[in-house]
């Protein structure tokens, strides 16, 4: 069993209402009781409509809360339907997911993601920065060049890497029950860490998570790769049992 810090982050996507607090409550209780508490960080990224309510309702917090996107603009402005990083922080968010492929597929570019990252960091939100290749790109053996470009075009040396967690999410593995081959995944995670160090001339290795069809059955496969610093979990994070079982089975 590893002794390194591991992240278990839930991305609820478009899911949940006030009654879903029971899921948060159960996960919080699990975290409170679990051994080795300082070695795992549990974060639930919920819809904007719920963050303030959950924050208020959680009396003692053994988990952290985050959101799933923010506008690039700092301060108020004429952006109908949008919410900025400062508003989300004030509502209770500590983390924000940026660059998720579900938003990239709706038109988010690397340049726009960069502006969002900068604005989130300025508001002292921690960023969960998603990168990953599509199936077409994978088939054309373009995975590494795509990842390299996503990293280079959305980050700057001046960004505080301590506040950025990478999430490698191959687009073809999201919600499909398909996961990468473990040897390929290991080299991709290593590639991301090295690429970041090379591009930004730093010795400090970033945290890199894996996301895509993680469940309580396949988690034991991933636990063999020590380079993976944790997981970004979609569908399975919408059930307290499934989410908790993933964490339990990781440490089995
Ligand atoms: P699934 O775990 O449902 O495949 O989703 C992964 C994801 O997109 C997390 O951000």
């Amino acid at each position: 069993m590893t002794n390194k810090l591991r992240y278990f982050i839930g991305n609820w996507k478009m899911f949940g209402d006030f009654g879903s607090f029971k899921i948060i409550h159960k996960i919080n209780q699990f975290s409170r009781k679990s051994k080795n508490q300082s070695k795992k960080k549990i974060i639930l990224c919920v819809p904007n409509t719920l963050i303030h309510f959950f924050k208020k309702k959680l009396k003692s917090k053994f988990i952290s809360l985050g959101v799933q996107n923010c506008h690039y603009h700092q301060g108020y402005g004429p952006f109908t339907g949008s919410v900025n990083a400062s508003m989300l922080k004030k509502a209770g968010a500590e983390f924000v997911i940026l660059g998720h492929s579900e938003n990239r597929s709706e038109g988010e570019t690397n340049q726009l993601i960069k502006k969002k990252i900068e604005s989130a960091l300025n508001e002292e939100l921690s960023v969960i920065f998603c990168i990953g290749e599509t199936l077409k790109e994978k088939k054309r053996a373009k995975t590494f060049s795509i990842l390299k470009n996503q990293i280079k075009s959305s980050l700057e040396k001046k960004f505080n890497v301590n506040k950025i967690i990478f999430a490698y999410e191959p687009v073809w593995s999201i919600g499909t029950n398909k996961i990468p081959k473990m040897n390929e995944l290991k080299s991709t995670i290593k590639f991301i860490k090295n690429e970041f160090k090379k591009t930004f001339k730093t010795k400090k290795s970033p945290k890199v998570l894996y996301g895509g069809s993680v469940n309580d059955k396949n988690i034991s496969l991933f636990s063999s790769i020590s380079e993976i610093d944790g997981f970004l979990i979609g569908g399975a994070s919408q059930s307290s049992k499934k989410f908790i079982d993933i964490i339990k089975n990781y440490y089995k």
Side-chain angles (χ1 to χ4, degrees):
M1 198 223 271
T2 181
N3 208 26
K4 289 192 195 147
L5 175 68
R6 293 294 186 239
Y7 291 83
F8 296 91
I9 307 183
N11 173 9
W12 271 14
K13 309 194 180 186
M14 194 161 72
F15 164 83
D17 56 23
F18 292 134
S20 314
F21 178 72
K22 58 180 183 294
I23 302 171
I24 296 284
H25 176 69
K26 281 186 187 151
I27 296 171
N28 193 54
Q29 289 296 96
F30 164 77
S31 181
R32 182 172 71 84
K33 290 187 203 136
S34 71
K35 289 180 253 147
N36 242 343
Q37 227 183 71
S38 61
K39 292 292 170 198
K40 51 174 112 61
K41 178 103 186 125
I42 300 177
I43 304 159
L44 271 302
C45 295
V46 300
N48 295 350
T49 47
L50 300 177
I51 184 101
H52 186 65
F53 177 74
F54 288 172
K55 167 100 195 283
K56 283 260 139 128
K57 219 162 148 69
L58 266 183
K59 302 261 164 2
S60 42
K61 259 170 87 243
F62 296 90
I63 59 170
S64 298
L65 294 173
V67 288
Q68 305 164 18
N69 205 348
C70 69
H71 196 270
Y72 71 84
H73 186 75
Q74 279 187 268
Y76 297 148
F79 301 100
T80 304
S82 300
V83 184
N84 70 26
S86 155
M87 293 155 84
L88 292 164
K89 172 121 198 218
K90 284 182 193 150
E94 295 166 67
F95 291 81
V96 59
I97 296 174
L98 292 173
H100 195 284
S101 65
E102 285 153 13
N103 296 323
R104 289 180 188 266
S105 72
E106 294 210 344
E108 269 194 9
T109 60
N110 288 326
Q111 286 67 34
L112 177 62
I113 294 162
K114 180 183 193 164
K115 284 163 81 177
K116 292 186 174 198
I117 294 175
E118 186 156 26
S119 123
L121 293 175
N122 283 340
E123 296 300 336
E124 304 209 329
L125 284 176
S126 293
V127 171
I128 301 153
F129 172 45
C130 300
I131 54 177
E133 82 287 1
T134 62
L135 187 59
K136 201 163 150 194
E137 289 158 349
K138 179 180 164 58
K139 283 187 174 155
R140 292 183 181 167
K142 288 206 175 337
T143 299
F144 284 3
S145 65
I146 291 292
L147 294 174
K148 184 174 175 170
N149 186 39
Q150 289 174 337
I151 295 169
K152 268 193 155 167
S153 326
S154 293
L155 297 181
E156 276 187 29
K157 191 170 167 50
K158 66 172 185 191
F159 289 178
N160 181 0
V161 65
N162 296 321
K163 290 280 227 175
I164 301 174
I165 302 166
F166 285 74
Y168 169 57
E169 299 206 308
V171 180
W172 50 271
S173 79
I174 295 176
T176 56
N177 260 325
K178 293 197 175 87
I179 57 170
K181 293 195 181 79
M182 290 303 127
N183 59 339
E184 285 182 11
L185 180 58
K186 185 179 169 118
S187 53
T188 307
I189 299 280
K190 280 176 144 178
F191 173 82
I192 294 167
K193 292 188 175 186
N194 286 332
E195 200 50 45
F196 177 84
K197 289 196 275 189
K198 226 169 57 194
T199 307
F200 299 103
K201 299 187 178 55
T202 169
K203 290 200 173 65
K204 202 166 161 45
S205 204
K207 300 282 182 205
V208 183
L209 319 183
Y210 168 75
S213 295
V214 174
N215 62 39
D216 57 335
K217 309 279 180 313
N218 61 25
I219 189 70
S220 54
L221 290 172
F222 297 111
S223 61
S224 65
I225 305 177
S226 65
E227 287 83 0
I228 302 179
D229 297 294
F231 303 91
L232 184 54
I233 301 155
S237 71
Q238 298 171 358
S239 143
S240 53
K241 178 168 174 9
K242 286 183 184 165
F243 189 71
I244 291 168
D245 281 350
I246 289 174
I247 303 174
K248 282 184 180 162
N249 291 349
Y250 179 82
Y251 290 103
K252 253 190 189 158

